[in-house]
Amino acid sequence: MSKPEPGPRTVLITGAGEGLGYETARLLVAGNHHVVVHGRTADQADYAVERLVKDGTDPLRLDVAVADFTDFRQVATMAHLVGEAHRRLDLLVNNAAVAGPETRELTVDGHEVTWQVNYLAPYLLTTMLTGPLANARRGRVVNVSSPLHARANLEPADLAETRRYLRHAAYARSKLALTMFTKALTLYGPTSLTAVSVHPGILDTALLGTYSEIGLHPSEGAHVVAQLCTQATVINGGYYNDRALPYRPAACVEDLGAVQRLWKASAHQTGMG
């Protein structure tokens, strides 16, 4: 178990321009935290901040960060700028995600889009921010996962998914990798860092099509994510369901050999090792 720092904290939320990320930002900034709002574009991030300020948020408690996760250079630049602006980062919420295209597409870095946006980019961002997270002494990473992760398989020899591409399968495997990354952070991250993954529920966002045709308002899921961000203690490396309760993840999440192999492959794919 680990407890976060008391009092207001500095929080970076990816994909905070809309949907679950925006609603989570709204809740955390209302809790007197300083929130860094990430958007894929500057216009998206700025518009989110404008909406928050219009709702009564003190603009001095908001910052913006911009990066298109299909480009590692933008992610690295964003991590550098956030680290320069915030020597201490108490909380990182890896929320940004895409459902993926109908047919296989590659990013400028040569990776399948869903794999890079939903997993490799969060891996790169998190590892580049371990310094500021460690400076918080009790920093926390919250990875937004999905129960679909339990239906996925990772083939170490074909992480690029060149043999066969199915949109829903690509999404599921990206969430499996992110959930395994949560466990990996307990092994390879700073000793002071706590990491959890959480399924926020089936929500009416751009990702709804991967689950169902009906979903709850994103604010419902935001309460779940915000609870995992702020509650006094969490299980380090734990996976939580849409009621913010510990839940058993896919078996390979607990397979430390598989976690280690994924960590090494991710470091290679992102140029971090």
Side-chain angles (χ1 to χ4, degrees):
M1 296 285 189
S2 178
K3 295 182 179 181
E5 295 283 318
R9 294 178 292 160
T10 299
V11 183
L12 168 60
I13 304 175
T14 70
E18 58 187 1
L20 176 65
Y22 175 83
E23 293 295 338
T24 302
R26 184 177 61 80
L27 289 177
L28 292 178
V29 79
N32 204 36
H33 301 301
H34 187 101
V35 176
V36 183
V37 176
H38 161 255
R40 182 176 56 82
T41 65
D43 286 346
Q44 186 185 63
D46 289 342
Y47 180 59
V49 167
E50 289 175 10
R51 291 171 62 195
L52 290 167
V53 171
K54 185 176 180 180
D55 285 343
T57 298
D58 181 353
L60 295 178
R61 290 197 285 111
L62 294 168
D63 281 324
V64 299
V66 179
D68 184 334
F69 278 14
T70 64
D71 187 340
F72 284 155
R73 288 176 298 178
Q74 293 190 38
V75 177
T77 297
M78 171 178 146
H80 176 72
L81 293 175
V82 169
E84 278 195 335
H86 304 283
R87 182 178 176 274
R88 189 190 87 183
L89 183 64
D90 300 275
L91 180 65
L92 169 60
V93 180
N94 284 315
N95 163 73
V98 294
E102 291 293 339
T103 58
R104 185 174 182 269
E105 295 180 10
L106 300 182
T107 68
V108 295
D109 302 294
H111 302 290
E112 189 274 313
V113 168
T114 315
W115 181 248
Q116 178 161 328
V117 173
N118 295 5
Y119 173 61
L120 289 179
Y123 172 94
L124 177 61
L125 179 65
T126 306
T127 53
M128 290 190 67
L129 288 174
T130 52
L133 286 164
N135 288 340
R137 293 186 295 164
R138 291 178 177 174
R140 185 175 292 181
V141 174
V142 177
N143 292 324
V144 177
S145 184
S146 161
L148 294 179
H149 87 271
R151 303 181 187 178
N153 293 302
L154 288 179
E155 296 184 34
D158 191 32
L159 289 177
E161 202 171 63
T162 57
R163 297 172 187 166
R164 186 185 184 194
Y165 175 84
L166 294 172
R167 181 190 188 201
H168 288 182
Y171 178 82
R173 66 194 283 274
S174 72
K175 290 301 182 179
L176 173 59
L178 191 66
T179 308
M180 293 172 71
F181 176 52
T182 305
K183 179 64 69 172
L185 284 171
T186 70
L187 304 173
Y188 307 113
T191 56
S192 60
L193 183 67
T194 301
V196 298
S197 53
V198 56
H199 164 48
I202 299 175
L203 308 176
D204 187 9
T205 70
L207 299 175
L208 181 60
T210 61
Y211 289 98
S212 172
E213 295 181 357
I214 300 175
L216 300 172
H217 190 274
S219 61
E220 299 290 335
H223 282 284
V224 178
V225 176
Q227 182 174 339
L228 268 296
C229 290
T230 57
Q231 70 182 39
T233 59
V234 293
I235 299 171
N236 196 13
Y239 172 71
Y240 288 77
N241 64 16
D242 55 0
R243 292 180 293 168
L245 296 174
Y247 199 78
R248 179 171 292 182
C252 60
V253 176
E254 305 294 344
D255 182 341
L256 299 188
V259 169
Q260 182 183 48
R261 289 190 294 273
L262 177 63
W263 178 274
K264 290 181 177 179
S266 305
H268 174 73
Q269 289 189 344
T270 57
M272 294 295 287

